Amino acid sequence: MRMEKLIAGDVKFQRKYGFYFLYAILTIIYITAILAIPQSWRGKIVTLLIFSDPPAMGMFFMGAIVLLEKSQRVLCTLAVSPITPQEYIASKMISVSLISLLVAVSIALAAGKDHLFILGMGTVLTSMIFTLLGMIVAVKIESLNQFILWTVPFEIIGFGPAVLYLFGVDFPVFQYYPANICINMVAGRLPGGLKIVILCIFIAILFGLAQKSVLRMWNRLGGAKL
Amino acid sequence: MITVNNLNYSYTDKPFIRDMSFRVSRGEIFGFLGPSGAGKSTLQKILTGMLPDYQGQVQVHGVECKKHKKDFYENIGVDFEFSTMYEKLTARENLNFFSSLYKKKSKSIEGLLEKMGLAQDADKRVSEYSKGMKARLNFIKALLHDPALLCLDEPTSGLDPTNNRLMKDMILEEKAKGKTILLTTHNMQDATELCDRVAFIVGGQIMALDSPHNLIMSRGARTVTYRWQENGEQTAVCALDEISTDQRLQMLIHDNRLLSIHSSEPTLNDIFMDITGRALV
Ligand SMILES: Nc1ncnc2c1ncn2[C@@H]1O[C@H](COP(=O)(O)OP(=O)(O)O)[C@@H](O)[C@H]1O
Ligand SMILES: [Mg+2]
């Protein structure tokens, strides 16, 4: 109930602040570009585009949202409301993942990809990972410039496997690396049970870390030195 | 309702809020009166659970503030001294969103906007609001979920006299409904008019705590000033409780020669100066 209201509020916020508009334009550009690429290349490029959206855009947007809520002091209101850190994080994560999912499905449909369900799942899981990372970073910093700097290592971690994937480099150990599991799902390959467990544990750990960070941020809003 | 015992708090290593103790009962308007930087907002932040690293005992609705769960906030409405809204959303969108986060059914947003004179601007973005409009909007937000405790940090600052009156009437209305209200202010008139009791706060300490009436009466003696005609206009002052010993006044009364006579009492401002040695603003 409260969760739904929170998500509805986040979606409204993201629409009002132009995220949906920006993404609509981006999606059109992506699709136009894809349709211009020769058929034989398309598969990998589409996978890459879809996979790279959460680390490139989702994480960035997450940072922008938290910084905005900080600077407009909306966080003060939320800190003295019944909202829990878990709800706050989950709502942001779900609303941003929703955009990534919409973009992914649009691109996949335009490119005539199969396995839409697995692709969609892969996108949502990738998005969860990077929005959580974005949240963890955003609560620690004050400005967008600082945020961009801090996300560089995470971008490398995120894009690393994508680059390897593009060049067909394939170390056996890397197949259990969360980002690689994700990119394979986006490519439409169903992962084995162990890989799904790894992914879930990884996301749970990130969620726990995000929860700690948000709680700390809320407790420090008043100026406490914790 | 609220119990504070031996509260100590500081943002730094230097002691700031020292050894505060007081109680606030249900249905009371309790004021924190003091100059800027006295620690009023700090105290409100402690009472609303935003500064958990205090020492001593601070209980609100029977819950120790530093150990509160999130449902602690279902029954508390907080009005900060600054705007806390999404600037790009309209006033109505903000209120709709924030009120949807509580279990209790929201009060009529329409009605409250109307009452505070914001109905016409309800669909404007908050970024287009003036300071006074934002103050009224934030006040409404604190009221929406009909909380039993209202914490208002300088709610009337930046308001013109008409809106100041409107807001004070709303505060008194909430009191009439049995709500408990913590009111932070450096406005002596607001405090005198609204508060059942006020705490004078300076430098993180409570210097006096009583009803405005008692504070005023206990201190400065009330005086009587009178004028009469005698080689031009003359004025004299005597203490109210010594009025029967003033021979001249007796005579003037007897001869019906008084031009005017006023009694006057010190304001809360005078008392504040008297007790704390500091001006309010
Ligand atoms: N977040 C903070 N960190 C450090 N010091 C603070 C913080 N907030 C307020 N202070 C200091 O604490 C003192 C009291 O502030 P405050 O409670 O806001 O005063 P008031 O509301 O009575 O004007 C001031 O000296 C202020 O500089
Ligand atoms: Mg203040």
Side-chain angles (χ1 to χ4, degrees), chain A residues 99-226:
Chain A
I99 306 182
S100 290
L101 182 62
L102 287 175
V103 175
V105 171
S106 308
I107 295 175
L109 281 176
K113 294 259 310 181
D114 304 323
H115 308 296
L116 280 186
F117 181 73
I118 299 173
L119 179 148
M121 285 295 296
T123 306
V124 168
L125 291 170
T126 313
S127 185
M128 284 181 167
I129 291 175
F130 284 98
T131 47
L132 286 173
L133 285 172
M135 176 75 84
I136 293 167
V137 174
V139 301
K140 296 199 194 327
I141 45 98
E142 298 301 329
S143 77
L144 212 52
N145 287 340
Q146 238 180 329
F147 179 76
I148 291 169
L149 207 69
W150 270 92
T151 52
V152 169
F154 298 105
E155 300 290 359
I156 294 170
I157 293 168
F159 279 112
V163 174
L164 293 179
Y165 173 83
L166 182 68
F167 291 105
V169 184
D170 196 12
F171 298 108
V173 255
F174 271 14
Q175 61 177 321
Y176 294 107
Y177 186 61
N180 284 41
I181 302 174
C182 286
I183 201 167
N184 269 313
M185 284 180 79
V186 172
R189 286 189 282 276
L190 192 64
L194 177 61
K195 288 182 182 171
I196 291 180
V197 171
I198 288 177
L199 217 48
C200 288
I201 291 175
F202 186 63
I203 290 174
I205 291 172
L206 284 181
F207 194 91
L209 287 174
Q211 205 176 315
K212 254 197 187 151
S213 313
V214 168
L215 193 64
R216 215 169 109 98
M217 170 172 73
W218 283 2
N219 278 335
R220 287 164 62 152
L221 280 177
K225 38 174 201 318
L226 296 172

Side-chain angles (χ1 to χ4, degrees), chain B residues 35-42 81 153-154 184 186:
Chain B
S36 179
K40 308 183 296 293
S41 299
T42 304
E81 57 188 327
D153 198 347
E154 314 239 3
T184 289
H186 60 242

Side-chain angles (χ1 to χ4, degrees), chain A residues 3-16 19-20 23 53-54 57-59 61-63 65-66 69 86-103 123-124 127-128 130-132 135 207, chain B residues 86 97:
Chain A
M3 197 62 221
E4 287 159 35
K5 295 284 166 58
L6 205 54
I7 295 173
D10 274 328
V11 170
K12 174 161 223 157
F13 169 93
Q14 287 156 21
R15 263 195 9 239
K16 280 270 178 161
F19 289 19
Y20 275 74
Y23 259 110
D53 178 67
M57 301 296 285
M59 188 165 164
F61 276 137
M62 191 60 146
I65 293 171
V66 175
E69 287 182 343
Q86 295 94 299
E87 290 169 327
Y88 175 78
I89 298 164
S91 170
K92 294 270 180 292
M93 191 170 84
I94 291 168
S95 56
V96 174
S97 299
L98 181 71
I99 306 182
S100 290
L101 182 62
L102 287 175
V103 175
T123 306
V124 168
S127 185
M128 284 181 167
F130 284 98
T131 47
L132 286 173
M135 176 75 84
F207 194 91
Chain B
Y86 287 112
F97 172 62

